[in-house]
Amino acid sequence: MDTPPLVIVDAANVVGSVPDGWWRDRRGAAERLRDLLVPYAAEGLPGRPGPLELVLVVEGAARGVESVPGVRVDPAPGSGDDRIVELVREAADRLRLVVTADRELRARVTESGAEVTGPRTVRP
């Protein structure tokens, strides 16, 4: 069986895309995003049928968020953006999609062959 596409979600950027008070509870906001992502692992995303391997990269106060079936949480030891670039490079042999609106990060991951999409793809 083929390796499923790798979808890497920039938690800080996606959480920050909706002004819902996330700044009062960054960890809770990352957990809610993680739980929102679970169905996408099997069902897929628009234009990307499942199954998908979903990785949620967290940083800062959200580092304690645990993985759940369908979504692996990767706590960045430093910069979340740097960790996302590392994950993209480590998976060079497969399709990679990064979910972020961060322009600098988008440029960095596309240089490494990843595709990008915005937060609305996973958070309508």
Side-chain angles (χ1 to χ4, degrees):
M1 183 175 175
D2 292 343
T3 305
L6 175 63
V7 178
I8 305 167
V9 180
D10 179 355
N13 187 267
V14 174
V15 163
S17 70
V18 178
D20 61 0
W22 59 265
W23 51 89
R24 291 188 295 266
D25 181 12
R26 292 170 194 260
R27 182 177 174 158
E31 288 172 341
R32 288 188 297 279
L33 175 59
R34 176 204 59 202
D35 296 345
L36 181 71
L37 295 173
V38 170
Y40 296 126
E43 297 169 12
L45 293 167
R48 307 235 186 266
L52 303 172
E53 180 182 349
L54 283 162
V55 178
L56 179 66
V57 176
V58 297
E59 62 188 346
R63 278 196 192 103
V65 173
E66 299 287 329
S67 296
V68 296
V71 180
R72 176 169 58 95
V73 177
D74 190 316
S79 160
D81 289 3
D82 289 347
R83 181 61 186 142
I84 291 168
V85 171
E86 287 175 12
L87 290 170
V88 164
R89 290 179 179 158
E90 290 169 4
D93 60 338
R94 63 196 285 201
L95 179 72
R96 294 142 302 154
L97 176 67
V98 176
V99 181
T100 187
D102 181 310
R103 287 185 184 153
E104 181 180 329
L105 178 58
R106 290 171 77 98
R108 291 175 67 193
V109 298
T110 56
E111 287 173 3
S112 294
E115 297 176 32
V116 293
T117 190
R120 288 186 182 165
T121 302
V122 296
R123 192 167 185 175

